[in-house]
Amino acid sequence: MIRRGFPVAARLSHHRVLSGVPHVLPRLTSASAFGSSTESLVSRFCVEKTDLKDYVLPNASWFPDMLSMYQEFLEKTKADGWLKLPSFKSNRDHIQGLKIPSGFAVSSGTSSDQGDWRIFIRCIQAEGQGYEYVIFFHPTKKKSVCLFQPGPYLEGSPGCAHGGSLAAMMDETFSKTAYLAGEGLFTLSLNVRFKNFIPVGSLAVLNVDVEKIEDQKIYMSCVTWSRDKQTVYAKSSGVFLQLPLEEDSSP
């Protein structure tokens, strides 16, 4: 989601740090710092009413594989506990839900609809030309599935998606999973092993699992498959830093 080192993370904590004074990340206990339940985190992120455009709805550029698997997971949201995560143009549109710690320099009340702000994977406006994706999250299993259809503007080798576009998609899926699974906010590491090319316009399915949460870190793994699970496109792992969030002030 947002890449920061430990020094920056320390500045974003509830402890004031003087400029120029060496500092380290404060030790925090789970009971005192990370007390938000998964249900509470999901309710903050998945706002029920908004005028903002949700970009994870089907459009004319979605190919049959993308549409069919999207419908499969929509059915799972009705009976199997999965949730479809909304995705707005910029993470600043999610700030109310994400509850970024106080001190983070973001102008409150300014949505991306009122400016040029865009999350990187929403930087290409034309439908089907860049990142077409939707993330489903399972609160109990603490895992996510991302359906990703790369467009021609993401080309690397002729006819195939650039590896960096998949890495960015992995990072985004990791970040949303880390937040909802346990207040994970900042990427500490992302390791990717590429296995096969992803044809432009095809469907890549990212399967993310939370492996463990310890020492203020959330460890996750991801395997990216083809639609039929006959081809592994990449395997990756990520570590995200937990940070204490502002208390939810909603009624």
Side-chain angles (χ1 to χ4, degrees):
M1 185 187 307
I2 305 172
R3 300 183 182 279
R4 303 279 168 173
F6 277 92
V8 176
R11 290 200 297 273
L12 295 178
S13 72
H14 294 300
H15 297 264
R16 176 170 295 183
V17 179
L18 298 178
S19 178
V21 177
H23 52 277
V24 296
L25 186 69
R27 298 294 297 176
L28 301 169
T29 65
S30 296
S32 63
F34 310 113
S36 299
S37 66
T38 300
E39 181 180 354
S40 172
L41 293 169
V42 169
S43 66
R44 293 183 186 189
F45 186 85
C46 300
V47 293
E48 293 184 2
K49 296 181 180 180
T50 179
D51 294 328
L52 296 167
K53 179 180 178 180
D54 186 356
Y55 284 80
V56 292
L57 299 176
N59 60 59
S61 74
W62 285 23
F63 288 179
D65 276 350
M66 181 81 165
L67 282 169
S68 65
M69 199 161 189
Y70 174 79
Q71 292 299 328
E72 285 180 23
F73 270 89
L74 275 188
E75 290 301 315
K76 291 183 179 182
T77 65
K78 301 175 183 177
D80 297 337
W82 287 87
L83 298 170
K84 182 180 75 69
L85 301 184
S87 178
F88 306 128
K89 191 169 74 172
S90 167
N91 269 334
R92 68 180 49 235
D93 296 327
H94 285 292
I95 290 298
Q96 182 177 357
L98 289 174
K99 292 292 182 182
I100 296 296
S102 57
F104 193 75
V106 174
S107 300
S108 60
T110 303
S111 74
S112 62
D113 286 349
Q114 299 170 318
D116 294 330
W117 305 102
R118 285 181 181 271
I119 187 173
F120 176 73
I121 51 178
R122 294 293 179 205
C123 64
I124 299 173
Q125 187 170 2
E127 292 181 348
Q129 299 303 301
Y131 290 88
E132 294 292 338
Y133 72 93
V134 55
I135 298 173
F136 291 88
F137 174 71
H138 198 292
T140 303
K141 297 178 180 179
K142 288 183 169 52
K143 65 185 302 177
S144 294
V145 170
C146 173
L147 312 181
F148 170 43
Q149 179 185 293
Y153 287 8
L154 303 184
E155 187 182 61
S157 299
C160 298
H162 194 289
S165 67
L166 176 58
M169 196 70 259
M170 287 175 168
D171 187 43
E172 176 67 7
T173 308
F174 274 145
S175 70
K176 295 303 187 287
T177 306
Y179 171 76
L180 295 171
E183 301 180 18
L185 287 176
F186 299 110
T187 311
L188 295 180
S189 68
L190 178 67
N191 299 294
V192 183
R193 289 167 291 165
F194 296 103
K195 301 291 187 179
N196 288 285
F197 291 115
I198 302 176
V200 166
S202 65
L203 175 63
V205 183
L206 287 66
N207 294 273
V208 169
D209 289 282
V210 174
E211 301 293 341
K212 63 179 179 179
I213 302 176
E214 64 179 24
D215 296 330
Q216 295 179 238
K217 301 185 184 89
I218 299 178
Y219 296 80
M220 291 171 291
S221 63
C222 175
V223 180
T224 301
W225 296 86
S226 59
R227 172 70 170 90
D228 58 9
K229 285 196 172 184
Q230 296 302 303
T231 304
V232 176
Y233 292 130
K235 295 183 178 181
S236 64
S237 61
V239 182
F240 276 69
L241 177 68
Q242 287 181 302
L243 286 178
L245 307 178
E246 297 174 352
E247 292 184 5
D248 188 1
S249 59
S250 61

